Amino acid sequence: MRLNNHRTLKLFECLLLTLIITSVAYSDTVLEMHALFGGTNIYAPTVILDGATYKMWYGGWQVPATQDKIYYRTSPNNSNWSAPTTVLVPSQIGPGVLHVNDPSVTKHLNETNGQWQYTMFYTVCMLPCEQQDNQIWSSTSSNGINWAHHQPLLNDAVGSAEPSAIIEPGGVGFWKVYYVDRLDATKVKMIRVDGNRNKVSEPQVVYQHSGGAISGVEVRQIGGSWHLFFNAFFIDKVDIYKTESASNELWPSAFSILIENSGPTFCGTLTPGVLPASDVQYDLYYGLTPRSADGSCNLTHQQSIQRWRFAL
């Protein structure tokens, strides 16, 4: 079933009233909550404000499918989004690729050619797509829609996945890319990446989680601090946690709960993406998972992309 019509969005807005009760924010203050659009299994949104236009890339299945793809939408106001455009599919990467997902997009002026460059870091899962078959790749684009120059960044058979990239030129490298290895899923790691999108440092552990498996990391500077957002996994739910630091190379082990899914209606808020709105506010985007009738949490059914505005 395709969930992207006006009536469906109104339904999602009503369901959010229940979500207020079943998902409790313990860290920061919720100012706004919006259901943006629906799909079959969509999550991992990354958003940039490009001039006056909000641009979003996200992954999954917009309609029923067997392979994850990456999609693109735009908005003039961060609420009303265009129809999706498919911008990256497994066959573009090469043979043996089952999924592409979890985009993290940056934009900068390429000083070599004088052109604006979008760079996407993302997860590639190679057949047979077990945990260790996840890899991190990158591609470039001049418009955010047509992607080329696909190349691997981390393919060490430890399941590196779900990157979050920031631009930090100067010193060693141009980007810092944060991620979690699926076979070592209690640590957030960071590597430095040069302007040619090659790894120029060994992985560095920047956060150690004491509460079990995590994934879906997102690193953003808001005000004068660096905030690390991530998913925490439990038997029957997936929550969003965060921790804060003055440095983007080490976070304390202490964390706070941002969204906890504790009720009967929803069980997952998947793969957070964050866009700072000011020095004291930010927008949190994620894929929303309804709880199944039997009480289980089916993580192949993120039915919509949501946006919550938080104040620190």
Side-chain angles (χ1 to χ4, degrees), residues 186-234:
T186 61
K187 302 181 182 71
V188 177
K189 299 177 182 177
M190 179 270 289
I191 57 168
R192 294 173 173 84
V193 179
D194 67 16
N196 294 317
R197 296 178 288 131
N198 296 312
K199 182 179 72 170
V200 292
S201 73
E202 292 304 309
Q204 171 184 339
V205 176
V206 297
Y207 174 72
Q208 172 77 56
H209 188 59
S210 60
I214 62 174
S215 71
V217 299
E218 176 82 314
V219 172
R220 290 293 180 262
Q221 187 175 33
I222 306 169
S225 299
W226 287 94
H227 297 252
L228 171 64
F229 303 81
F230 57 91
N231 279 137
F233 282 78
F234 301 89

Short mmCIF file of all heavy atoms in Angstrom, two decimals, residues 186-234:
data_model
loop_
_atom_site.label_atom_id
_atom_site.label_comp_id
_atom_site.label_asym_id
_atom_site.label_seq_id
_atom_site.Cartn_x
_atom_site.Cartn_y
_atom_site.Cartn_z
N THR A 186 28.68 -1.58 20.00
CA THR A 186 28.55 -0.74 21.19
C THR A 186 29.46 0.48 21.12
O THR A 186 29.50 1.28 22.05
CB THR A 186 28.89 -1.53 22.47
OG1 THR A 186 30.26 -1.97 22.41
CG2 THR A 186 27.96 -2.72 22.63
N LYS A 187 30.18 0.64 20.02
CA LYS A 187 31.14 1.74 19.89
C LYS A 187 30.82 2.58 18.65
O LYS A 187 30.52 2.06 17.58
CB LYS A 187 32.57 1.21 19.74
CG LYS A 187 33.07 0.33 20.88
CD LYS A 187 34.51 -0.10 20.61
CE LYS A 187 35.04 -1.03 21.68
NZ LYS A 187 34.40 -2.37 21.60
N VAL A 188 30.89 3.90 18.82
CA VAL A 188 30.87 4.80 17.68
C VAL A 188 32.32 5.09 17.31
O VAL A 188 33.13 5.44 18.17
CB VAL A 188 30.14 6.11 18.01
CG1 VAL A 188 30.20 7.08 16.82
CG2 VAL A 188 28.69 5.83 18.40
N LYS A 189 32.62 4.94 16.03
CA LYS A 189 33.98 5.17 15.55
C LYS A 189 33.99 6.34 14.57
O LYS A 189 32.98 6.71 13.99
CB LYS A 189 34.53 3.91 14.88
CG LYS A 189 34.60 2.72 15.84
CD LYS A 189 35.07 1.45 15.14
CE LYS A 189 35.08 0.28 16.12
NZ LYS A 189 35.48 -0.99 15.47
N MET A 190 35.19 6.92 14.39
CA MET A 190 35.35 8.04 13.47
C MET A 190 36.62 7.84 12.67
O MET A 190 37.64 7.38 13.20
CB MET A 190 35.41 9.36 14.24
CG MET A 190 35.60 10.60 13.36
SD MET A 190 37.36 11.02 13.09
CE MET A 190 37.80 11.63 14.74
N ILE A 191 36.55 8.16 11.37
CA ILE A 191 37.74 8.20 10.53
C ILE A 191 37.79 9.57 9.86
O ILE A 191 36.77 10.24 9.66
CB ILE A 191 37.76 7.10 9.46
CG1 ILE A 191 36.53 7.19 8.57
CG2 ILE A 191 37.91 5.72 10.09
CD1 ILE A 191 36.63 6.32 7.33
N ARG A 192 39.00 9.98 9.51
CA ARG A 192 39.20 11.19 8.72
C ARG A 192 39.32 10.81 7.25
O ARG A 192 39.93 9.80 6.91
CB ARG A 192 40.45 11.93 9.20
CG ARG A 192 40.31 12.48 10.62
CD ARG A 192 41.62 13.05 11.13
NE ARG A 192 41.46 13.72 12.40
CZ ARG A 192 41.47 13.10 13.58
NH1 ARG A 192 41.64 11.78 13.63
NH2 ARG A 192 41.32 13.78 14.70
N VAL A 193 38.73 11.64 6.41
CA VAL A 193 38.65 11.36 4.98
C VAL A 193 39.15 12.58 4.22
O VAL A 193 38.75 13.72 4.54
CB VAL A 193 37.20 11.04 4.57
CG1 VAL A 193 37.09 10.77 3.09
CG2 VAL A 193 36.68 9.84 5.38
N ASP A 194 40.02 12.37 3.22
CA ASP A 194 40.58 13.51 2.50
C ASP A 194 39.64 13.97 1.39
O ASP A 194 38.56 13.41 1.16
CB ASP A 194 41.97 13.19 1.95
CG ASP A 194 41.97 12.12 0.86
OD1 ASP A 194 40.90 11.82 0.29
OD2 ASP A 194 43.07 11.58 0.58
N GLY A 195 40.04 15.02 0.67
CA GLY A 195 39.19 15.60 -0.36
C GLY A 195 38.92 14.70 -1.54
O GLY A 195 38.00 14.96 -2.32
N ASN A 196 39.71 13.63 -1.68
CA ASN A 196 39.46 12.63 -2.72
C ASN A 196 38.62 11.47 -2.20
O ASN A 196 38.49 10.45 -2.88
CB ASN A 196 40.79 12.11 -3.26
CG ASN A 196 41.56 13.18 -3.99
OD1 ASN A 196 40.99 13.95 -4.77
ND2 ASN A 196 42.86 13.26 -3.74
N ARG A 197 38.10 11.61 -1.00
CA ARG A 197 37.22 10.62 -0.35
C ARG A 197 37.94 9.32 0.00
O ARG A 197 37.36 8.25 -0.04
CB ARG A 197 35.99 10.35 -1.22
CG ARG A 197 35.10 11.57 -1.38
CD ARG A 197 33.91 11.31 -2.28
NE ARG A 197 34.32 11.20 -3.68
CZ ARG A 197 33.97 10.23 -4.48
NH1 ARG A 197 33.19 9.23 -4.04
NH2 ARG A 197 34.38 10.21 -5.73
N ASN A 198 39.21 9.46 0.36
CA ASN A 198 40.00 8.32 0.81
C ASN A 198 40.25 8.42 2.30
O ASN A 198 40.45 9.52 2.84
CB ASN A 198 41.34 8.26 0.08
CG ASN A 198 41.17 8.02 -1.41
OD1 ASN A 198 40.43 7.13 -1.82
ND2 ASN A 198 41.83 8.83 -2.22
N LYS A 199 40.24 7.29 2.97
CA LYS A 199 40.51 7.25 4.40
C LYS A 199 41.96 7.63 4.67
O LYS A 199 42.88 7.11 4.04
CB LYS A 199 40.24 5.84 4.94
CG LYS A 199 40.45 5.68 6.43
CD LYS A 199 40.13 4.26 6.89
CE LYS A 199 41.19 3.28 6.44
NZ LYS A 199 41.03 1.94 7.07
N VAL A 200 42.19 8.58 5.60
CA VAL A 200 43.54 9.01 5.91
C VAL A 200 43.87 8.84 7.39
O VAL A 200 44.88 9.35 7.87
CB VAL A 200 43.78 10.47 5.48
CG1 VAL A 200 43.77 10.58 3.96
CG2 VAL A 200 42.75 11.41 6.10
N SER A 201 43.01 8.14 8.12
CA SER A 201 43.32 7.82 9.52
C SER A 201 42.70 6.48 9.86
O SER A 201 41.75 6.02 9.20
CB SER A 201 42.78 8.90 10.47
OG SER A 201 41.36 8.82 10.58
N GLU A 202 43.22 5.85 10.88
CA GLU A 202 42.63 4.61 11.38
C GLU A 202 41.40 4.93 12.22
O GLU A 202 41.27 6.03 12.76
CB GLU A 202 43.66 3.84 12.21
CG GLU A 202 44.80 3.28 11.39
CD GLU A 202 44.32 2.39 10.26
OE1 GLU A 202 43.51 1.47 10.53
OE2 GLU A 202 44.72 2.63 9.10
N PRO A 203 40.46 3.99 12.32
CA PRO A 203 39.27 4.24 13.13
C PRO A 203 39.61 4.60 14.58
O PRO A 203 40.47 3.99 15.19
CB PRO A 203 38.51 2.91 13.06
CG PRO A 203 38.98 2.28 11.79
CD PRO A 203 40.42 2.68 11.65
N GLN A 204 38.90 5.59 15.09
CA GLN A 204 39.08 6.06 16.45
C GLN A 204 37.76 5.94 17.18
O GLN A 204 36.73 6.42 16.70
CB GLN A 204 39.54 7.53 16.42
CG GLN A 204 39.56 8.24 17.75
CD GLN A 204 39.92 9.71 17.60
OE1 GLN A 204 40.53 10.12 16.60
NE2 GLN A 204 39.54 10.52 18.58
N VAL A 205 37.74 5.29 18.32
CA VAL A 205 36.52 5.17 19.12
C VAL A 205 36.24 6.51 19.79
O VAL A 205 37.07 7.01 20.54
CB VAL A 205 36.63 4.05 20.17
CG1 VAL A 205 35.38 4.01 21.05
CG2 VAL A 205 36.83 2.70 19.48
N VAL A 206 35.06 7.07 19.53
CA VAL A 206 34.70 8.37 20.09
C VAL A 206 33.59 8.26 21.12
O VAL A 206 33.33 9.22 21.86
CB VAL A 206 34.31 9.36 18.98
CG1 VAL A 206 35.49 9.62 18.05
CG2 VAL A 206 33.09 8.87 18.20
N TYR A 207 32.92 7.11 21.16
CA TYR A 207 31.87 6.91 22.17
C TYR A 207 31.71 5.41 22.41
O TYR A 207 31.67 4.62 21.47
CB TYR A 207 30.53 7.50 21.70
CG TYR A 207 29.39 7.20 22.64
CD1 TYR A 207 29.29 7.83 23.87
CD2 TYR A 207 28.40 6.28 22.29
CE1 TYR A 207 28.23 7.54 24.74
CE2 TYR A 207 27.34 6.00 23.14
CZ TYR A 207 27.27 6.63 24.37
OH TYR A 207 26.24 6.35 25.22
N GLN A 208 31.61 5.04 23.70
CA GLN A 208 31.40 3.65 24.11
C GLN A 208 30.08 3.60 24.86
O GLN A 208 29.90 4.27 25.88
CB GLN A 208 32.54 3.18 25.01
CG GLN A 208 32.32 1.81 25.63
CD GLN A 208 32.56 0.67 24.66
OE1 GLN A 208 33.63 0.56 24.08
NE2 GLN A 208 31.55 -0.18 24.49
N HIS A 209 29.13 2.79 24.34
CA HIS A 209 27.81 2.71 24.95
C HIS A 209 27.75 1.51 25.89
O HIS A 209 28.11 0.39 25.50
CB HIS A 209 26.74 2.58 23.88
CG HIS A 209 25.34 2.67 24.41
ND1 HIS A 209 24.88 3.77 25.09
CD2 HIS A 209 24.31 1.80 24.35
CE1 HIS A 209 23.63 3.58 25.43
NE2 HIS A 209 23.25 2.38 25.00
N SER A 210 27.26 1.73 27.09
CA SER A 210 27.22 0.67 28.09
C SER A 210 25.90 -0.07 28.12
O SER A 210 25.75 -1.05 28.86
CB SER A 210 27.48 1.28 29.48
OG SER A 210 26.49 2.26 29.79
N GLY A 211 24.93 0.35 27.30
CA GLY A 211 23.59 -0.20 27.42
C GLY A 211 23.18 -1.15 26.32
O GLY A 211 21.99 -1.37 26.12
N GLY A 212 24.12 -1.70 25.56
CA GLY A 212 23.76 -2.64 24.51
C GLY A 212 24.05 -2.09 23.13
O GLY A 212 24.77 -1.10 22.95
N ALA A 213 23.46 -2.73 22.11
CA ALA A 213 23.74 -2.40 20.72
C ALA A 213 23.15 -1.05 20.33
O ALA A 213 22.06 -0.67 20.75
CB ALA A 213 23.19 -3.49 19.81
N ILE A 214 23.90 -0.33 19.50
CA ILE A 214 23.45 0.97 18.99
C ILE A 214 23.71 1.01 17.49
O ILE A 214 24.44 0.19 16.94
CB ILE A 214 24.16 2.14 19.69
CG1 ILE A 214 25.69 2.08 19.45
CG2 ILE A 214 23.84 2.15 21.18
CD1 ILE A 214 26.42 3.30 19.99
N SER A 215 23.10 1.98 16.82
CA SER A 215 23.34 2.20 15.40
C SER A 215 22.78 3.56 15.04
O SER A 215 22.28 4.30 15.90
CB SER A 215 22.69 1.11 14.54
OG SER A 215 21.28 1.25 14.56
N GLY A 216 22.85 3.90 13.73
CA GLY A 216 22.20 5.11 13.26
C GLY A 216 22.74 6.39 13.85
O GLY A 216 21.97 7.28 14.21
N VAL A 217 24.06 6.52 13.95
CA VAL A 217 24.63 7.70 14.60
C VAL A 217 24.48 8.94 13.72
O VAL A 217 24.46 8.86 12.50
CB VAL A 217 26.12 7.47 14.95
CG1 VAL A 217 26.27 6.31 15.91
CG2 VAL A 217 26.96 7.27 13.71
N GLU A 218 24.36 10.08 14.38
CA GLU A 218 24.32 11.37 13.71
C GLU A 218 25.08 12.37 14.58
O GLU A 218 24.83 12.46 15.79
CB GLU A 218 22.88 11.82 13.52
CG GLU A 218 22.72 13.21 12.92
CD GLU A 218 22.85 13.25 11.40
OE1 GLU A 218 23.80 12.61 10.89
OE2 GLU A 218 22.01 13.88 10.74
N VAL A 219 26.02 13.09 13.99
CA VAL A 219 26.83 14.07 14.71
C VAL A 219 26.55 15.45 14.13
O VAL A 219 26.66 15.66 12.92
CB VAL A 219 28.33 13.75 14.60
CG1 VAL A 219 29.17 14.88 15.18
CG2 VAL A 219 28.65 12.44 15.31
N ARG A 220 26.19 16.39 14.98
CA ARG A 220 25.93 17.76 14.55
C ARG A 220 26.38 18.75 15.64
O ARG A 220 26.25 18.47 16.84
CB ARG A 220 24.44 17.96 14.27
CG ARG A 220 23.94 17.24 13.04
CD ARG A 220 24.52 17.80 11.76
NE ARG A 220 24.05 17.13 10.57
CZ ARG A 220 24.71 16.16 9.94
NH1 ARG A 220 25.88 15.74 10.40
NH2 ARG A 220 24.22 15.63 8.84
N GLN A 221 26.86 19.90 15.18
CA GLN A 221 27.20 20.99 16.11
C GLN A 221 25.98 21.89 16.24
O GLN A 221 25.45 22.39 15.24
CB GLN A 221 28.39 21.78 15.60
CG GLN A 221 28.88 22.83 16.61
CD GLN A 221 30.14 23.53 16.13
OE1 GLN A 221 30.33 23.74 14.93
NE2 GLN A 221 31.00 23.90 17.05
N ILE A 222 25.54 22.08 17.46
CA ILE A 222 24.41 22.94 17.76
C ILE A 222 24.87 23.91 18.84
O ILE A 222 25.22 23.50 19.95
CB ILE A 222 23.18 22.15 18.22
CG1 ILE A 222 22.84 21.05 17.21
CG2 ILE A 222 21.99 23.08 18.42
CD1 ILE A 222 21.82 20.06 17.69
N GLY A 223 24.86 25.19 18.51
CA GLY A 223 25.45 26.15 19.43
C GLY A 223 26.94 25.90 19.56
O GLY A 223 27.64 25.70 18.58
N GLY A 224 27.42 25.85 20.76
CA GLY A 224 28.85 25.64 20.97
C GLY A 224 29.22 24.22 21.31
O GLY A 224 30.37 23.96 21.67
N SER A 225 28.26 23.27 21.19
CA SER A 225 28.53 21.89 21.59
C SER A 225 28.31 20.94 20.42
O SER A 225 27.58 21.22 19.48
CB SER A 225 27.61 21.48 22.75
OG SER A 225 27.82 22.28 23.88
N TRP A 226 28.95 19.77 20.55
CA TRP A 226 28.77 18.70 19.57
C TRP A 226 27.83 17.65 20.16
O TRP A 226 28.05 17.16 21.26
CB TRP A 226 30.11 18.07 19.21
CG TRP A 226 30.94 18.98 18.35
CD1 TRP A 226 31.89 19.86 18.77
CD2 TRP A 226 30.85 19.10 16.94
NE1 TRP A 226 32.41 20.54 17.70
CE2 TRP A 226 31.80 20.08 16.56
CE3 TRP A 226 30.09 18.49 15.95
CZ2 TRP A 226 31.99 20.46 15.23
CZ3 TRP A 226 30.27 18.86 14.63
CH2 TRP A 226 31.21 19.83 14.28
N HIS A 227 26.78 17.34 19.40
CA HIS A 227 25.75 16.42 19.86
C HIS A 227 25.83 15.13 19.04
O HIS A 227 25.89 15.17 17.80
CB HIS A 227 24.37 17.05 19.70
CG HIS A 227 24.18 18.28 20.53
ND1 HIS A 227 23.37 18.31 21.64
CD2 HIS A 227 24.70 19.53 20.42
CE1 HIS A 227 23.39 19.52 22.18
NE2 HIS A 227 24.20 20.28 21.44
N LEU A 228 25.83 14.02 19.74
CA LEU A 228 25.85 12.70 19.13
C LEU A 228 24.51 12.03 19.39
O LEU A 228 24.15 11.76 20.54
CB LEU A 228 26.99 11.85 19.72
CG LEU A 228 27.02 10.37 19.35
CD1 LEU A 228 27.24 10.19 17.85
CD2 LEU A 228 28.10 9.64 20.13
N PHE A 229 23.75 11.78 18.32
CA PHE A 229 22.45 11.11 18.39
C PHE A 229 22.63 9.67 17.90
O PHE A 229 23.42 9.42 17.00
CB PHE A 229 21.43 11.82 17.50
CG PHE A 229 21.23 13.28 17.81
CD1 PHE A 229 22.12 14.23 17.33
CD2 PHE A 229 20.15 13.70 18.55
CE1 PHE A 229 21.94 15.59 17.59
CE2 PHE A 229 19.95 15.05 18.82
CZ PHE A 229 20.86 16.00 18.34
N PHE A 230 21.84 8.75 18.45
CA PHE A 230 21.95 7.36 18.00
C PHE A 230 20.72 6.57 18.42
O PHE A 230 19.98 6.96 19.32
CB PHE A 230 23.23 6.69 18.53
CG PHE A 230 23.37 6.68 20.02
CD1 PHE A 230 22.90 5.63 20.78
CD2 PHE A 230 23.98 7.74 20.68
CE1 PHE A 230 23.05 5.60 22.16
CE2 PHE A 230 24.14 7.74 22.06
CZ PHE A 230 23.67 6.67 22.80
N ASN A 231 20.53 5.44 17.75
CA ASN A 231 19.48 4.50 18.13
C ASN A 231 20.00 3.51 19.15
O ASN A 231 21.12 3.01 19.03
CB ASN A 231 18.99 3.71 16.91
CG ASN A 231 17.98 4.45 16.07
OD1 ASN A 231 18.06 4.43 14.86
ND2 ASN A 231 17.02 5.11 16.69
N ALA A 232 19.19 3.23 20.16
CA ALA A 232 19.46 2.18 21.14
C ALA A 232 18.44 1.07 20.92
O ALA A 232 17.24 1.32 20.85
CB ALA A 232 19.35 2.72 22.56
N PHE A 233 18.94 -0.17 20.80
CA PHE A 233 18.10 -1.31 20.46
C PHE A 233 17.75 -2.14 21.69
O PHE A 233 18.61 -2.42 22.53
CB PHE A 233 18.81 -2.20 19.44
CG PHE A 233 18.76 -1.66 18.04
CD1 PHE A 233 19.60 -0.63 17.65
CD2 PHE A 233 17.84 -2.16 17.12
CE1 PHE A 233 19.54 -0.12 16.36
CE2 PHE A 233 17.78 -1.65 15.84
CZ PHE A 233 18.64 -0.63 15.46
N PHE A 234 16.47 -2.55 21.74
CA PHE A 234 15.96 -3.44 22.77
C PHE A 234 15.19 -4.57 22.09
O PHE A 234 15.02 -4.57 20.88
CB PHE A 234 15.08 -2.67 23.75
CG PHE A 234 15.79 -1.53 24.43
CD1 PHE A 234 15.80 -0.26 23.85
CD2 PHE A 234 16.47 -1.73 25.62
CE1 PHE A 234 16.47 0.79 24.47
CE2 PHE A 234 17.14 -0.69 26.24
CZ PHE A 234 17.14 0.58 25.67
#
